[in-house]
PDB file of all heavy atoms in Angstrom:
ATOM      1  N   ARG A 413      24.437  82.036  10.472  1.00  0.00           N
ATOM      2  CA  ARG A 413      23.339  82.909  10.892  1.00  0.00           C
ATOM      3  C   ARG A 413      23.081  84.018   9.877  1.00  0.00           C
ATOM      4  O   ARG A 413      21.932  84.383   9.613  1.00  0.00           O
ATOM      5  CB  ARG A 413      23.671  83.515  12.261  1.00  0.00           C
ATOM      6  CG  ARG A 413      23.496  82.572  13.424  1.00  0.00           C
ATOM      7  CD  ARG A 413      22.034  82.448  13.835  1.00  0.00           C
ATOM      8  NE  ARG A 413      21.488  83.727  14.249  1.00  0.00           N
ATOM      9  CZ  ARG A 413      21.563  84.200  15.493  1.00  0.00           C
ATOM     10  NH1 ARG A 413      22.158  83.484  16.436  1.00  0.00           N
ATOM     11  NH2 ARG A 413      21.028  85.367  15.802  1.00  0.00           N
ATOM     12  N   LEU A 414      24.150  84.555   9.314  1.00  0.00           N
ATOM     13  CA  LEU A 414      23.986  85.621   8.324  1.00  0.00           C
ATOM     14  C   LEU A 414      23.262  85.103   7.092  1.00  0.00           C
ATOM     15  O   LEU A 414      22.352  85.756   6.567  1.00  0.00           O
ATOM     16  CB  LEU A 414      25.356  86.190   7.935  1.00  0.00           C
ATOM     17  CG  LEU A 414      25.362  87.284   6.864  1.00  0.00           C
ATOM     18  CD1 LEU A 414      24.522  88.480   7.298  1.00  0.00           C
ATOM     19  CD2 LEU A 414      26.787  87.726   6.548  1.00  0.00           C
ATOM     20  N   ALA A 415      23.653  83.914   6.617  1.00  0.00           N
ATOM     21  CA  ALA A 415      22.991  83.333   5.447  1.00  0.00           C
ATOM     22  C   ALA A 415      21.521  83.068   5.726  1.00  0.00           C
ATOM     23  O   ALA A 415      20.652  83.316   4.875  1.00  0.00           O
ATOM     24  CB  ALA A 415      23.701  82.036   5.042  1.00  0.00           C
ATOM     25  N   ALA A 416      21.210  82.590   6.944  1.00  0.00           N
ATOM     26  CA  ALA A 416      19.812  82.338   7.304  1.00  0.00           C
ATOM     27  C   ALA A 416      19.016  83.638   7.362  1.00  0.00           C
ATOM     28  O   ALA A 416      17.848  83.689   6.955  1.00  0.00           O
ATOM     29  CB  ALA A 416      19.750  81.616   8.646  1.00  0.00           C
ATOM     30  N   ALA A 417      19.650  84.706   7.859  1.00  0.00           N
ATOM     31  CA  ALA A 417      18.965  85.994   7.952  1.00  0.00           C
ATOM     32  C   ALA A 417      18.656  86.575   6.580  1.00  0.00           C
ATOM     33  O   ALA A 417      17.707  87.350   6.424  1.00  0.00           O
ATOM     34  CB  ALA A 417      19.808  86.980   8.749  1.00  0.00           C
ATOM     35  N   LEU A 418      19.469  86.220   5.587  1.00  0.00           N
ATOM     36  CA  LEU A 418      19.291  86.778   4.244  1.00  0.00           C
ATOM     37  C   LEU A 418      18.454  85.876   3.334  1.00  0.00           C
ATOM     38  O   LEU A 418      18.195  86.233   2.193  1.00  0.00           O
ATOM     39  CB  LEU A 418      20.659  87.014   3.598  1.00  0.00           C
ATOM     40  CG  LEU A 418      21.570  88.028   4.305  1.00  0.00           C
ATOM     41  CD1 LEU A 418      22.917  88.095   3.605  1.00  0.00           C
ATOM     42  CD2 LEU A 418      20.925  89.399   4.344  1.00  0.00           C
ATOM     43  N   GLU A 419      18.061  84.706   3.838  1.00  0.00           N
ATOM     44  CA  GLU A 419      17.293  83.775   3.004  1.00  0.00           C
ATOM     45  C   GLU A 419      15.952  84.382   2.607  1.00  0.00           C
ATOM     46  O   GLU A 419      15.313  85.085   3.403  1.00  0.00           O
ATOM     47  CB  GLU A 419      17.034  82.467   3.752  1.00  0.00           C
ATOM     48  CG  GLU A 419      18.173  81.470   3.659  1.00  0.00           C
ATOM     49  CD  GLU A 419      17.808  80.160   4.320  1.00  0.00           C
ATOM     50  OE1 GLU A 419      16.657  80.048   4.820  1.00  0.00           O
ATOM     51  OE2 GLU A 419      18.663  79.263   4.364  1.00  0.00           O
ATOM     52  N   ALA A 420      15.539  84.080   1.384  1.00  0.00           N
ATOM     53  CA  ALA A 420      14.222  84.526   0.936  1.00  0.00           C
ATOM     54  C   ALA A 420      13.160  83.879   1.818  1.00  0.00           C
ATOM     55  O   ALA A 420      13.187  82.681   2.082  1.00  0.00           O
ATOM     56  CB  ALA A 420      14.015  84.141  -0.530  1.00  0.00           C
ATOM     57  N   GLY A 421      12.220  84.655   2.300  1.00  0.00           N
ATOM     58  CA  GLY A 421      11.166  84.135   3.155  1.00  0.00           C
ATOM     59  C   GLY A 421      11.514  84.112   4.621  1.00  0.00           C
ATOM     60  O   GLY A 421      10.724  83.634   5.443  1.00  0.00           O
ATOM     61  N   ALA A 422      12.711  84.609   4.979  1.00  0.00           N
ATOM     62  CA  ALA A 422      13.091  84.621   6.389  1.00  0.00           C
ATOM     63  C   ALA A 422      12.311  85.679   7.163  1.00  0.00           C
ATOM     64  O   ALA A 422      12.234  85.614   8.382  1.00  0.00           O
ATOM     65  CB  ALA A 422      14.598  84.878   6.523  1.00  0.00           C
ATOM     66  N   TYR A 423      11.734  86.643   6.459  1.00  0.00           N
ATOM     67  CA  TYR A 423      10.997  87.723   7.114  1.00  0.00           C
ATOM     68  C   TYR A 423       9.543  87.709   6.648  1.00  0.00           C
ATOM     69  O   TYR A 423       9.263  87.488   5.461  1.00  0.00           O
ATOM     70  CB  TYR A 423      11.625  89.078   6.784  1.00  0.00           C
ATOM     71  CG  TYR A 423      13.045  89.216   7.274  1.00  0.00           C
ATOM     72  CD1 TYR A 423      14.121  88.854   6.473  1.00  0.00           C
ATOM     73  CD2 TYR A 423      13.304  89.688   8.550  1.00  0.00           C
ATOM     74  CE1 TYR A 423      15.425  88.962   6.929  1.00  0.00           C
ATOM     75  CE2 TYR A 423      14.599  89.808   9.017  1.00  0.00           C
ATOM     76  CZ  TYR A 423      15.653  89.446   8.208  1.00  0.00           C
ATOM     77  OH  TYR A 423      16.929  89.550   8.669  1.00  0.00           O
ATOM     78  N   ASP A 424       8.624  87.936   7.581  1.00  0.00           N
ATOM     79  CA  ASP A 424       7.213  88.013   7.220  1.00  0.00           C
ATOM     80  C   ASP A 424       6.800  89.482   7.093  1.00  0.00           C
ATOM     81  O   ASP A 424       7.616  90.391   7.230  1.00  0.00           O
ATOM     82  CB  ASP A 424       6.343  87.278   8.238  1.00  0.00           C
ATOM     83  CG  ASP A 424       6.582  87.773   9.667  1.00  0.00           C
ATOM     84  OD1 ASP A 424       6.885  88.975   9.827  1.00  0.00           O
ATOM     85  OD2 ASP A 424       6.451  86.970  10.608  1.00  0.00           O
ATOM     86  N   SER A 427       7.727  92.050   9.865  1.00  0.00           N
ATOM     87  CA  SER A 427       9.128  92.339  10.158  1.00  0.00           C
ATOM     88  C   SER A 427       9.614  93.534   9.347  1.00  0.00           C
ATOM     89  O   SER A 427       8.951  93.987   8.410  1.00  0.00           O
ATOM     90  CB  SER A 427       9.998  91.119   9.840  1.00  0.00           C
ATOM     91  OG  SER A 427      10.075  90.920   8.444  1.00  0.00           O
ATOM     92  N   GLY A 429      12.405  93.440   7.604  1.00  0.00           N
ATOM     93  CA  GLY A 429      13.035  92.939   6.391  1.00  0.00           C
ATOM     94  C   GLY A 429      14.413  93.510   6.135  1.00  0.00           C
ATOM     95  O   GLY A 429      14.881  93.526   5.003  1.00  0.00           O
ATOM     96  N   ARG A 536      18.433  96.310   3.129  1.00  0.00           N
ATOM     97  CA  ARG A 536      17.342  95.352   3.036  1.00  0.00           C
ATOM     98  C   ARG A 536      17.913  93.957   2.837  1.00  0.00           C
ATOM     99  O   ARG A 536      18.883  93.765   2.104  1.00  0.00           O
ATOM    100  CB  ARG A 536      16.408  95.689   1.887  1.00  0.00           C
ATOM    101  CG  ARG A 536      15.603  96.963   2.058  1.00  0.00           C
ATOM    102  CD  ARG A 536      14.400  96.991   1.119  1.00  0.00           C
ATOM    103  NE  ARG A 536      13.483  95.898   1.384  1.00  0.00           N
ATOM    104  CZ  ARG A 536      12.555  95.898   2.343  1.00  0.00           C
ATOM    105  NH1 ARG A 536      12.435  96.949   3.146  1.00  0.00           N
ATOM    106  NH2 ARG A 536      11.767  94.862   2.508  1.00  0.00           N
ATOM    107  N   ALA A 537      17.301  92.981   3.503  1.00  0.00           N
ATOM    108  CA  ALA A 537      17.767  91.602   3.372  1.00  0.00           C
ATOM    109  C   ALA A 537      17.451  91.053   1.990  1.00  0.00           C
ATOM    110  O   ALA A 537      18.233  90.273   1.432  1.00  0.00           O
ATOM    111  CB  ALA A 537      17.129  90.731   4.449  1.00  0.00           C
ATOM    112  N   SER A 538      16.332  91.471   1.430  1.00  0.00           N
ATOM    113  CA  SER A 538      15.933  90.986   0.113  1.00  0.00           C
ATOM    114  C   SER A 538      16.946  91.428  -0.945  1.00  0.00           C
ATOM    115  O   SER A 538      17.237  92.616  -1.087  1.00  0.00           O
ATOM    116  CB  SER A 538      14.548  91.522  -0.246  1.00  0.00           C
ATOM    117  OG  SER A 538      14.178  91.143  -1.553  1.00  0.00           O
ATOM    118  N   GLY A 539      17.483  90.475  -1.645  1.00  0.00           N
ATOM    119  CA  GLY A 539      18.444  90.772  -2.699  1.00  0.00           C
ATOM    120  C   GLY A 539      19.876  90.877  -2.231  1.00  0.00           C
ATOM    121  O   GLY A 539      20.800  90.915  -3.047  1.00  0.00           O
ATOM    122  N   ALA A 540      20.102  90.965  -0.912  1.00  0.00           N
ATOM    123  CA  ALA A 540      21.465  91.062  -0.391  1.00  0.00           C
ATOM    124  C   ALA A 540      22.080  89.664  -0.301  1.00  0.00           C
ATOM    125  O   ALA A 540      21.378  88.661  -0.181  1.00  0.00           O
ATOM    126  CB  ALA A 540      21.472  91.731   0.976  1.00  0.00           C
ATOM    127  N   THR A 541      23.396  89.604  -0.357  1.00  0.00           N
ATOM    128  CA  THR A 541      24.120  88.345  -0.200  1.00  0.00           C
ATOM    129  C   THR A 541      25.128  88.493   0.930  1.00  0.00           C
ATOM    130  O   THR A 541      25.564  89.605   1.249  1.00  0.00           O
ATOM    131  CB  THR A 541      24.855  87.955  -1.490  1.00  0.00           C
ATOM    132  OG1 THR A 541      25.878  88.939  -1.769  1.00  0.00           O
ATOM    133  CG2 THR A 541      23.895  87.873  -2.668  1.00  0.00           C
ATOM    134  N   ALA A 542      25.497  87.368   1.519  1.00  0.00           N
ATOM    135  CA  ALA A 542      26.487  87.395   2.595  1.00  0.00           C
ATOM    136  C   ALA A 542      27.810  87.940   2.094  1.00  0.00           C
ATOM    137  O   ALA A 542      28.470  88.745   2.766  1.00  0.00           O
ATOM    138  CB  ALA A 542      26.663  85.995   3.172  1.00  0.00           C
TER     139      ALA A 542
END
Side-chain angles (χ1 to χ4, degrees):
R413 284 281 299 273
L414 178 59
L418 297 176
E419 276 185 1
Y423 298 90
D424 55 32
S427 70
R536 292 198 62 82
S538 176
T541 65

